[in-house]
Every structure is written in structure tokens, then in C-alpha cells.
Amino acid sequence: MTTKLTPLGERSAWKALGAHHQQVQDTTLRQLFADDPARGERFTLEAAGIFLDYSKNRITNETLKLLVQLAEESGLKARIDAMFSGEKINITENRAVLHVALRAPKGEKIVVDGEDVVPAVHAVLDKMAGFADRVRSGAWKGHTGKRIKNVINIGIGGSDLGPVMAYEALKHYSQRDITFRFVSNVDGTDFAEAVQDLKADETLFLVASKTFTTLETMTNAHTARDWSLAGLGGDEKAVAKHFVAISTNEKEVTKFGIDTANMFEFWDWVGGRYSMDSAIGLSTMLAIGPDNFRAMLGGFHEMDEHFRTAPFASNLPVLLGLLTVWYTDFFDAQTVAVLPYEQYLKRFPAYLQQLTMESNGKHVTLDGTHVATETGPIYWGEPGTNGQHSFYQLIHQGTRLIPCDFIGFYKTLNPLGKHHDTLMANVFAQAEALAFGKTAEQVKAEGTPDWLVPHRVFEGNRPSNTILADHLTPEVLGKLIALYEHAVFTQGTIWSIDSFDQWGVELGKVLAQKIIGELEAATEPALSHDTSTTNLIRRYRKNK
Ligand code: F6P
């Protein structure tokens, strides 16, 4: 893994892609389908129960060949092997990147610093399962002897977005007599609203924080502790029954007052945004039960194995990642829209935002030089069909190219009349409309007056992927998440960036710590900011 790579712009596949782009950039999807009607069947791929139709992309056989060559020249295979074998590929934090170990079956061996980590992963999973069973069955009692009816996860970033997304995604499988809520924002309203109708003696808090030092989480955790103790008569012993910690930092957990017997551990080789299948997923396990949680891990693992072993040309995450590089770097696309046609996946785009943008929003390569190309695009999206009635206008007729990932299922978990066929018809219709549009001739032929024709023309040629699976299960959710995790990995490898650090979140955190003191001081302290910041602080102090 120490092999020096040729800079991206000098890789021969990169140069060839540049020349190829010049040739194909004006070719339309209409033309591509007219020239090769079999393309709709040929440019598809099914693996691990996930079907991908990538035929509505602005690509030819040559594009695919060159993209695969680019992956090879970028050392993707070696990098995948390095990740799976526990090498410290997160070089700026000197850490292994082993979320794949979180879903490795018992008996597999993954060594970090001379130690096989798989047994420890399963020991924590077993501990989580024992705890989840006790809470779900009512055997775990609160301080006053009542069973737990409410579970509140306190965390932020990866310690929140994964748990919230998974809870919403798998609600169908959840135990409905327990209420789950998620508090993340340091805005006190988040906490106040989460507990306003709850009783402390029936409420369990999961304090989820890899570092156990994150400002927002620790502020909320202390408020929760006060709220809990106030509702439980102030007895400190109550904390043991109403608080558990999920962290890598035993020292800080103990300092907070949580017994380490009630701590669920994970490790520094699990990145925050890759942690929802670690102990950070305790809320998920409490909601759906240990068996469903393990099924989800099984889904992740199946996609991991596909990614690790399949040839690049038939590798789902590799293709998805390469297509994004194609649009980002050759078509100047700024964003990717992820559009799940499944209400349960409503938080999936928000989850993907941290996964993709905290990972690949980087401007230097692994060797510290400024990148020569664009890197991570902006990911965004909303569940279908709601987006159709707000931002799809811009995707269809705006001036920007927005590649879209449509996600749909053959079956629904809530069969109700014609809802599901109607929903899925919209997936297929949107992808078709984006790709092929509607010409001026077609619009005119409908009797549209000449002046109105330009407004009603759809240029088409707007690319999309359609991702389909049978129905949303814990297993399928695991596969979908792993699909995007590894697509992000593929992109980061092409760009030669460290997809696993997040230095960009540091500066604001440090400045906020300083400003907190300045806002709280009884008399105005000496302010040494720029005039704008100083003025804002003064104004706030005066009016608060
Ligand atoms: O936003 C920065 C970050 O470090 C994320 O990477 C992480 O998921 C989040 O903060 C929360 O961190 P922690 O789990 O340590 O509280």
C-alpha cells in the first residue's frame, strides 16, 4: 500500500476518459438507446439481491472500459485488500478502517495491531443482545421498579444519523410498545420536546458518543441526567438504571457517572459515520431485536463480500462510485440526488450526507498536495413522490446536471389498494422522463401553441440509476448502506484522498468553545475577533 501512485491527472485512463468525454458529451440517451436497444437489459447488474439498472447513464461500452481501467490504475484492488486486512489506511489519524469487521461472521479473522478483532466484536454484540432482550421483555427495571417504555438516544453525527435512519427504516419490525426518540441538536428545544410527555421512571437514555467529549452530546447528556434525577427524587443511584453509554472512551464514561458495566464498547477503527452497525446501533437493536439486527449485519456482510471479490465491471459499489466520478469530474455535476421511493427510507438521504460528504469533502490528496480535480459531490434527496412536487422541476428543466439514484422495491410492507403500483410507476416514469424528455415536435403535435412550446420541452439526457430490491428488510437495509459505503470508498480511492478523517469539522468547534465563554461572561470580555464577529457577539449579549 505504500506504492506511489501516479497523480490522477497523469493516469492514462484519466487522460483517455478526458478525450473520450469530448467525443461522447453531446451524445444523447435517446441516441444511445436507439443505437443499442438491448442496452436497457445489458447495462444492468444484480448482486446480493440488489438490482441496478445503470443503462440510463451517459456512458458507452468504452466509458465503462475506461472507468474500470481507471479503478485499476488507481490501485483500487490493493486498497480494498488493505482496508479488509486492517491496514491503517486512515493515514492522518493513523487508524485502521474496519467497519467491515463489525459484520464479519464469528470465526473470521481480522487482525489489527497483532490482535484478531472479530471475537471482541461478537462479545459486544452478545452483550448488546442480552441487554436488548432484558429491556424488550421488561426484565430490566427502572429505579422505581417500572419497566422501560421510552428509549432516548443522545448522540450527534454518526452517533445519531445512523440510529435515526435505521429506526425509521426498520420501524415495521420494531417493538411498538417502546417509544424511541433521538436527541442530537445542542438547541435545548430538541431535548425539551423529546421528553415533554415522558416520565423519568420509564425512560432509558443511551448516550452514544465515540469520543464521549462531543459538546452537543455531553450538553444533552448532562441535561438528561438532571431531568432524570429530578424526576426520580434525586437519588444518584438511579443513573445506573436509566443511563447506558456507547463509547470508545471508558475514562470519560466513568467520569460522567455511568458504570462501565453499562457501557457498550467499540473501537477507534470504527469511524463515526461508519458506526451504525457497532454498539452505536444499540437503539436499533432495542427497536428491532437482536435477531433482526444480526440479519442486518448479514446483509452488510454480503455486500462487503461482493465488493471485495467481484470483478470491477460487475461490482455494484465500484460501478456506482465510478459513475459518480464520471459525472463529477467530466460533466461538472455538483450534486447527486438520492431518491428513495419507500417512506421508511425517509432519513436515508440525510444519513448519506454525512457518509458521503464527511468522507469525500476533501481538498488534499493523501500526500498532502492540493487535488487537481473536483472531489466529493453534494448528496441530497427526499423520499418519492414528495420531491416530485418540489425540486424535480429543476432536475427536469433546470440548467444543472443532477445524476439521480432512484431506489424502489418490488413489494411494499404495507399493501394498501393501488398505492404501491402507483408509487413504483412514478419511479419508472421519472427515470424515463429524465432520460428521454419530450421534444418540441412532440409538444407541438399535442396542439401546444408555438409560444408555449419551449416552456413545455424536456431536453432529457439527464442520467439516473435505478436500484431495486424485493422489499425492505433489515438485511436489505444493510446491503444498501454497504453499497454506498463502498461506493464512497471507490470514489475516495480514485481521488487519492483520505475518506476516513474529518479535520474540516475542527475549526468551528474550537472557535465555538471560545465564544461560549464570551457569551456567558457577566461583563463583556476583551473580544479579539474580526469586526463582524465582535459586532454579532455584542449584539447577542445585549439582546439575549
Ligand atoms: O462531526 C464530527 C464528528 O466527529 C463525526 O465524525 C462524528 O460522527 C460526530 O462528530 C460525533 O462524534 P462522537 O460520536 O465522538 O460524539
Side-chain angles (χ1 to χ4, degrees), residues 113-145:
D113 292 332
E115 193 195 332
D116 178 10
V117 298
V118 179
V121 165
H122 284 275
V124 173
L125 279 172
D126 291 345
K127 182 174 170 185
M128 288 164 66
F131 177 72
D133 283 339
R134 270 176 289 148
V135 173
R136 287 163 61 85
S137 68
W140 178 281
K141 302 275 189 268
H143 184 60
T144 62

Side-chain angles (χ1 to χ4, degrees), residues 156-159 208-212 214 217 272-273 354 358 502 505 509:
I156 199 163
S159 302
S209 175
K210 181 175 171 180
T211 55
F212 229 72
T214 304
T217 300
R273 53 194 175 274
Q354 187 197 14
E358 203 167 71
Q502 54 285 313
V505 302
K509 278 193 202 173

Side-chain angles (χ1 to χ4, degrees), residues 189-382:
T189 299
D190 204 7
F191 182 83
E193 284 294 338
V195 297
Q196 57 86 25
D197 56 346
L198 305 186
K199 294 195 184 108
D201 58 356
E202 298 169 340
T203 302
L204 173 73
F205 290 95
L206 316 178
V207 185
S209 175
K210 181 175 171 180
T211 55
F212 229 72
T213 55
T214 304
L215 174 71
E216 293 88 339
T217 300
M218 295 329 293
T219 307
N220 279 318
H222 282 284
T223 302
R225 201 169 179 278
D226 294 347
W227 178 84
S228 212
L229 289 180
L232 290 162
D235 184 352
E236 292 275 337
K237 285 211 283 295
V239 172
K241 294 285 172 206
H242 294 270
F243 282 81
V244 302
I246 303 156
S247 187
T248 58
N249 192 342
E250 198 175 314
K251 204 166 127 229
E252 286 299 322
V253 169
T254 313
K255 218 162 101 191
F256 180 84
I258 297 179
D259 187 343
T260 46
N262 295 339
M263 170 175 162
F264 297 87
E265 185 198 5
F266 63 116
W267 306 273
D268 75 352
W269 41 261
V270 183
R273 53 194 175 274
Y274 297 88
S275 66
M276 59 149 295
D277 46 340
S278 70
I280 289 290
L282 184 60
S283 57
T284 314
M285 194 191 268
L286 283 164
I288 65 173
D291 290 347
N292 279 322
F293 194 85
R294 286 186 201 276
M296 181 181 80
L297 297 183
F300 269 104
H301 182 66
E302 210 178 323
M303 186 57 74
D304 292 344
E305 282 306 284
H306 166 70
F307 178 57
R308 192 175 66 79
T309 58
F312 292 163
S314 50
N315 190 313
L316 285 170
V318 171
L319 276 183
L320 214 57
L322 289 173
L323 287 166
T324 304
V325 171
W326 176 234
Y327 292 119
T328 303
D329 290 323
F330 294 94
F331 287 84
D332 291 330
Q334 300 292 310
T335 81
V336 177
V338 180
L339 308 162
Y341 279 65
E342 167 56 81
Q343 183 64 17
Y344 286 125
L345 288 180
K346 65 181 180 190
R347 296 293 290 164
F348 194 58
Y351 168 77
L352 285 185
Q353 290 192 320
Q354 187 197 14
L355 176 67
T356 59
M357 297 202 268
E358 203 167 71
S359 296
N360 284 343
K362 308 289 161 67
H363 70 287
V364 290
T365 60
L366 289 164
D367 63 13
T369 53
H370 205 285
V371 292
T373 61
E374 295 288 347
T375 59
I378 299 153
Y379 276 76
W380 60 289
E382 283 288 324

Side-chain angles (χ1 to χ4, degrees), residues 52-71:
L52 169 70
D53 175 351
Y54 58 99
S55 63
K56 295 192 188 82
N57 280 291
R58 290 169 65 173
I59 54 168
T60 63
N61 288 336
E62 180 67 7
T63 324
L64 279 176
K65 196 187 99 200
L66 291 174
L67 285 171
V68 166
Q69 193 187 320
L70 177 66

